[in-house]
Amino acid sequence: MANATNVLSTGIEIIGSIHFSNDMIIDGKIEGEIKSDKGKVTIGENAIVKGDVTAGDVKVYGNVEGKITSQRCELKDKSKINGDIKSKVFSMEEGAQLSGRTEIGA
């Protein structure tokens, strides 16, 4: 499995930290830190994340309550973020909601 993608489907709830190295798709509820040094994390439309997210590439379609730290961060049109974002590359689609501060390019 060269480039395995981990999936946490709708209906799964986790309380605690998640650490991964490849790609992860989250569509359930997470209460805790999500961390990867270089991996990609996609937070699906049904996802509710309460905790900090740190990864190489972060795409958000759902809800995040916490700080996002990444190399690249994309907020999709129905995403809701309540927290700060620190990212080298940042994009936000029309309709996305962000309540927090951004630090881009650092």
Side-chain angles (χ1 to χ4, degrees):
M1 295 181 70
N3 228 355
T5 298
N6 304 297
V7 178
L8 292 173
S9 301
T10 304
I12 295 177
E13 294 185 30
I14 294 179
I15 298 174
S17 298
I18 297 175
H19 297 266
F20 64 97
S21 56
N22 293 324
D23 297 349
M24 175 164 271
I25 298 170
I26 297 170
D27 215 23
K29 294 181 181 179
I30 309 291
E31 192 170 323
E33 178 186 46
I34 299 169
K35 187 170 184 173
S36 176
D37 292 331
K38 296 179 183 174
K40 297 178 183 178
V41 64
T42 301
I43 298 172
E45 287 184 13
N46 300 310
I48 298 172
V49 175
K50 292 184 180 181
D52 294 344
V53 179
T54 303
D57 190 337
V58 178
K59 285 185 186 176
V60 182
Y61 293 86
N63 299 304
V64 175
E65 191 174 314
K67 182 177 180 180
I68 296 175
T69 306
S70 64
Q71 297 293 312
R72 173 181 215 85
C73 180
E74 295 178 51
L75 303 185
K76 299 300 184 178
D77 65 342
K78 295 180 183 172
S79 62
K80 293 180 184 176
I81 314 303
N82 186 3
D84 297 341
I85 295 175
K86 181 178 180 182
S87 184
K88 288 191 177 181
V89 178
F90 176 75
S91 68
M92 182 174 173
E93 291 182 358
E94 184 177 335
Q97 297 177 23
L98 172 60
S99 178
R101 299 180 328 148
T102 57
E103 185 178 334
I104 301 165

